[in-house]
């Protein structure tokens, strides 16, 4: 079976035909060119998770797609994390973005641009992701590549002064791109020609270890092996297949901070899975859970994220974890026994994904109480698994959930009482929770599978190639620049 054909049965026939046709057509228009995807990390975030299967599907369709990961210093990632917060409309660490920070940023990217120059040919496509790589756009343009910058973050208020500060830093680089892709129209960079801005909704792959169907018996076995549920705790039988066809087993344990042992398999779990980022508001989730009191029934809370040292481009993780653990220690003992803070193993990406898959499937309620959010793909991941989701009505989360129909939105992410009431309401009404989960699964199936996003990329990149060829024909530009 061709890779694209595996979506048959998951998508409606008309959608399958339309998306597959767009992908194959784009591959034909891109023949002879390399598509270079450039990001700041190969694992530990939504960009890497989206791009890995998309690059594979593109290659399977006949496109020469490749993936590069930039190298950076701690000072560089401190600057880019500051930009990350600012573009969300959040002051972050409040640090400067002056000449010294620009020197750090450009210095690191100059070294990466030199490596890029040895690979990129005129007419290739360079697809840059997020603030970490935006500074490569001018260098890629000088190589006569077709340059696209993809931003996965944004702010609900385009006039936000913090976001404006971040954009002032980035716009000189973004201006060199032939096209800019954002997840939502509100996320468009100010001052960029709207004709160059394209809205593209993120997606998930239904066949990866994180999202593939998992046998009911395998779910508690995986969580027991990872130390998240009580059980034998030994390596599992195969719970899926890796890309190379070899069996996938879970044997590594999470680093869990808790008082007492893991919860029994029958206990309901309220689960948030996200990076250790202050904007994900782990502290608010924990405090909201504590406010539920008896309304939580016998449920426990699990806050899960990647092992702290595993995500090189996110320097805030240790401080966020320290603050979270300090707040956990301050809880009464009866609550500490019901709150579990889990750093999931990252040595094996597929194993980590299988643990997340099992944790989301086991959850009675999945929450995503972000204070700010670009898109929030963990919401779609949970919806794909048919889980009821309670989430903040911020950023792209509002594009994924219709309140009361396929999930529950909390209007004010800082309203802990409303958050606690929404979660408690679903725990107390399993029938309603199940109905929301079914509707969520159907919506994710229709809107969020990555064959649709691959088609979006194929259409856009094909159009940019045609535009470049048309410009060459109407000018004196040497043919090799096309």
């Amino acid at each position: 079976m061709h890779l694209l054909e595996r979506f048959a049965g998951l998508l409606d026939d008309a959608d399958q035909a339309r998306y597959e046709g767009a992908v194959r057509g784009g591959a034909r228009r891109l023949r002879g060119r390399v598509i270079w995807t450039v990001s700041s990390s190969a694992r530990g975030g939504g960009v890497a998770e989206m791009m890995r299967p998309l690059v594979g599907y593109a290659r399977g369709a006949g496109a020469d797609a490749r993936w590069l990961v930039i190298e950076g210093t701690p000072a560089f990632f401190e600057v880019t994390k500051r930009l990350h917060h600012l573009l969300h409309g959040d002051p972050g660490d409040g640090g400067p973005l002056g000449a010294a920070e620009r020197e750090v940023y450009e210095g690191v990217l100059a070294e990466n641009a030199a490596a890029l120059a040895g690979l990129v040919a005129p007419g290739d496509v360079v697809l840059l992701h997020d603030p970490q790589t935006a500074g490569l756009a001018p260098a890629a343009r000088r190589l006569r590549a077709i340059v696209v910058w993809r931003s996965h973050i944004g702010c609900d208020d385009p006039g936000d002064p913090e976001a404006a500060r971040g954009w002032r830093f980035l716009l000189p680089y973004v201006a060199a791109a032939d096209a800019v892709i954002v997840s939502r129209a509100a996320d468009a960079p100010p001052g960029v020609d709207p004709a160059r801005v394209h809205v593209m909704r993120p997606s998930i792959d239904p066949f990866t270890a994180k999202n593939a169907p998992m046998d009911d018996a395998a779910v508690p076995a995986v969580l027991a092996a990872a130390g998240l549920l009580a059980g034998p705790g030994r390596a599992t039988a195969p719970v899926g297949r890796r890309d190379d066809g070899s069996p996938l087993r879970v044997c590594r344990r999470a680093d869990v901070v808790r008082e007492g042992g893991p919860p029994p398999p029958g206990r309901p779990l309220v689960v948030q899975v996200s990076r250790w980022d202050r904007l994900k508001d782990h502290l608010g989730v924990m405090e909201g859970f504590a406010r539920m009191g008896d309304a939580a029934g016998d449920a426990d809370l699990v806050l899960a994220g990647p092992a702290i040292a595993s995500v090189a481009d996110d320097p805030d993780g240790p401080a966020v974890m320290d603050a979270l653990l300090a707040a956990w220690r301050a809880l009464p003992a009866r609550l500490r026994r019901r709150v579990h803070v889990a750093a999931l193993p990252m040595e094996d990406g597929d194993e980590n994904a299988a643990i997340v898959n099992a944790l989301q499937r086991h959850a009675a309620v999945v929450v995503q109480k972000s204070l700010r959010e670009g898109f929030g793909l963990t919401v779609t991941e949970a919806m794909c698994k048919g889980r009821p989701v309670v989430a903040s009505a911020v950023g792209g989360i509002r594009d994924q959930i219709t309140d009361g129909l396929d999930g529950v939105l909390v209007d004010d992410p800082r309203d802990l009482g409303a958050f606690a009431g929404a979660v408690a309401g679903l725990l107390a009404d399993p029938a309603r929770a199940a109905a929301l989960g079914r509707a969520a699964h159907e919506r994710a199936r229709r809107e969020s599978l990555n064959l649709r996003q691959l088609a979006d990329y194929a259409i856009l990149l094909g159009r940019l190639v045609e535009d470049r060829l048309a410009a060459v024909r109407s000018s004196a530009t040497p043919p090799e620049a096309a």
Side-chain angles (χ1 to χ4, degrees):
M1 177 187 292
H2 193 281
L3 278 177
L4 303 184
E5 295 170 355
R6 67 196 311 202
F7 288 88
L10 293 179
L11 291 165
D12 297 336
D13 290 346
D15 288 341
Q16 171 78 19
R18 182 169 70 255
Y19 298 152
E20 191 172 338
V23 171
R24 295 186 189 280
R28 287 193 297 272
R29 286 189 290 275
L30 291 162
R31 189 167 292 132
R33 306 167 189 269
V34 180
I35 306 167
W36 299 96
T37 286
V38 186
S39 68
S40 62
S41 178
R43 63 179 186 173
V47 175
E49 290 186 10
M50 272 193 291
M51 294 316 302
R52 182 173 291 107
L54 286 172
V55 168
Y57 289 134
R59 292 178 66 85
D64 189 354
R66 308 183 198 182
W67 188 5
L68 302 174
V69 176
I70 64 170
E71 297 181 351
T73 63
F76 171 81
F77 288 124
E78 183 177 324
V79 170
T80 60
K81 187 65 176 182
R82 190 169 301 156
L83 289 166
H84 168 91
H85 280 283
L86 290 172
L87 294 189
H88 277 106
D90 183 87
D93 64 1
L97 281 178
E101 289 71 31
R102 196 172 292 279
E103 182 177 359
V104 167
Y105 183 78
E106 292 186 348
V108 165
L109 291 179
E111 297 177 7
N112 285 279
L116 202 65
L119 298 170
V120 175
D124 282 356
V125 175
V126 176
L127 177 57
L128 305 169
H129 290 270
D130 281 337
Q132 298 94 325
T133 67
L136 292 172
R141 188 68 177 264
R142 290 192 293 271
L143 296 172
R144 293 182 291 182
I146 297 169
V147 185
V148 180
W149 184 61
R150 187 4 169 158
S151 175
H152 297 269
I153 54 183
C155 177
D156 286 339
D157 178 7
D160 185 276
E162 302 292 354
R165 190 160 78 96
W167 284 122
R168 282 195 296 272
F169 185 96
L170 282 176
L171 280 174
Y173 314 110
V174 173
D178 295 283
V180 172
I181 302 173
V182 293
S183 298
R184 312 178 69 231
D187 299 342
V192 173
D193 181 357
R196 292 169 51 212
V197 178
H198 306 268
V199 178
M200 188 180 297
R201 181 188 175 111
S203 63
I204 62 171
D205 189 285
F207 307 105
T208 61
K210 180 179 278 190
N211 299 310
M214 185 175 285
D215 184 85
D216 288 346
V219 169
V222 166
L223 297 179
L228 297 171
L229 284 183
R234 56 176 178 267
T236 64
V239 295
R241 293 281 172 182
R242 300 178 185 272
D243 289 344
D244 63 4
S246 62
L248 170 59
R249 293 179 173 85
V250 173
C251 56
R252 291 180 177 85
R253 296 177 71 82
D255 183 7
V256 185
V257 175
R258 61 162 65 99
E259 185 138 319
R267 180 166 297 167
L269 299 182
V270 177
V271 172
Q272 178 163 301
V273 180
S274 59
R275 291 178 293 107
W276 305 109
D277 184 316
R278 185 176 56 80
L279 296 182
K280 306 299 183 183
D281 199 22
H282 305 86
L283 285 170
V285 175
M286 188 167 67
E287 185 176 343
F289 182 81
R291 287 192 181 193
M292 289 166 60
D294 292 342
D298 61 348
D300 281 9
L301 172 66
V302 176
L303 296 169
I308 292 294
S310 66
V311 186
D313 66 341
D314 193 351
D316 285 0
V320 170
M321 178 64 86
D322 288 346
L324 179 62
L325 294 183
W328 175 83
R329 294 186 193 100
L331 291 173
R334 61 181 178 80
L335 279 173
R336 287 200 305 273
R337 286 193 291 270
R338 300 179 61 184
V339 176
H340 313 259
V341 180
L344 306 183
M346 293 290 291
E347 294 89 342
D348 182 328
D350 286 337
E351 183 182 47
N352 171 272
I355 295 170
V356 172
N357 190 342
L359 188 55
Q360 289 176 327
R361 289 184 185 279
H362 187 77
V365 179
V366 173
V367 301
Q368 188 59 59
K369 209 191 83 60
S370 301
L371 302 176
R372 311 266 182 161
E373 192 61 78
F375 191 77
L377 207 55
T378 53
V379 171
T380 289
E381 290 169 1
M383 293 172 72
C384 177
K385 299 171 179 71
R387 308 319 300 151
V389 179
V390 173
S392 305
V394 295
I397 294 176
R398 292 179 298 178
D399 298 335
Q400 299 174 70
I401 290 177
T402 300
D403 184 39
L405 179 63
D406 41 38
V408 177
L409 292 177
V410 177
D411 289 336
D412 180 355
R414 298 184 186 275
D415 187 340
L416 298 183
F419 170 74
V423 175
L426 291 184
L427 290 173
D429 191 348
R432 178 170 177 251
L436 290 175
R438 289 191 295 271
H441 172 79
E442 177 60 19
R443 181 166 183 176
R445 182 195 68 80
R446 290 195 318 268
E447 299 180 0
S448 299
L449 302 188
N450 58 355
L451 183 58
R452 185 268 309 153
Q453 191 180 12
L454 187 62
D456 291 344
Y457 272 118
I459 292 168
L460 173 59
L461 299 185
R463 185 180 306 147
L464 292 174
V465 166
E466 291 172 354
D467 290 347
R468 176 66 63 89
L469 290 172
V472 167
R473 288 193 291 267
S474 63
S475 71
T477 305
E480 64 270 18

